Amino acid sequence: MAASTEPVNPQATAMTLWQAVEALAAQLPFSTQKVGRTLSTTLSDTHAEGGDVFRFFEGTPVRLGDGTELARIDLRIKREGPHPGFLVLELGGRCVPMAEVRQHYANLEITGVPRGRSLDEATTHTATLGWGRLSFGFTERNPDCLAHVAFDPS
């Protein structure tokens, strides 16, 4: 593969969304260093209110090789005691339709539905995997495109 002459963007990675999901699942338990290295981003403590139990970290946006953008990276790590962490990737860029999600995770169950309070509420489809639950959210605002991916290790 020839070297690109375009400037290198440190917040870009050649990984596809699906390669990123697999690479992140392989990182468990989560840490700011492992998630940051995997996604080529820096995670910073948000010092969020109510953070008595969890520390909240947010990463800078990342453009993936398939045109998907990780618009927001939200990592939560328990302050004390063992816990694998919780990670949410909010998506932008290209539209990822449900058919594409099902190509990678065919065995999904609906675990959340909108209650009619906001266009940002999502229908959530969850795969139960060996390490925990991987959920895919489709908001009412744009129900044909994947809005977020959540990693909930058990």
Side-chain angles (χ1 to χ4, degrees):
M1 187 166 136
S4 173
T5 56
E6 294 179 12
V8 175
N9 178 351
Q11 271 74 314
T13 177
M15 280 193 298
T16 68
L17 172 62
W18 306 110
Q19 289 168 332
V21 166
E22 291 295 318
L24 288 164
Q27 298 289 322
L28 292 166
F30 290 130
S31 72
T32 55
Q33 295 82 8
K34 289 190 282 187
V35 171
R37 189 171 45 249
T38 300
L39 297 177
S40 302
T41 188
T42 301
L43 287 104
S44 303
D45 194 328
T46 65
H47 303 286
E49 290 292 321
D52 295 339
V53 176
F54 285 91
R55 288 183 67 193
F56 297 85
F57 298 91
E58 197 165 302
T60 52
V62 175
R63 173 72 65 173
L64 299 176
D66 61 3
T68 307
E69 182 180 321
L70 304 180
R72 186 165 175 260
I73 300 163
D74 175 8
L75 174 64
R76 299 166 193 192
I77 299 197
K78 200 168 184 181
R79 289 187 181 275
E80 294 180 26
H83 186 270
F86 181 78
L87 177 67
V88 178
L89 306 175
E90 291 183 15
L91 305 185
R94 75 178 182 96
C95 177
V96 179
M98 183 61 171
E100 184 176 335
V101 174
R102 286 199 182 280
Q103 286 175 353
H104 297 273
Y105 298 93
N107 193 14
L108 296 170
E109 64 177 288
I110 294 178
T111 55
V113 294
R115 303 275 187 235
R117 295 185 197 107
S118 162
L119 291 176
D120 293 320
E121 291 183 314
T123 299
T124 306
H125 303 263
T126 301
T128 301
L129 305 169
W131 54 264
R133 294 160 52 99
L134 183 63
S135 298
F136 303 93
F138 291 81
T139 62
E140 289 294 283
R141 184 177 309 282
N142 194 359
D144 298 325
C145 299
L146 182 61
H148 64 264
V149 179
F151 298 75
D152 189 4
S154 33

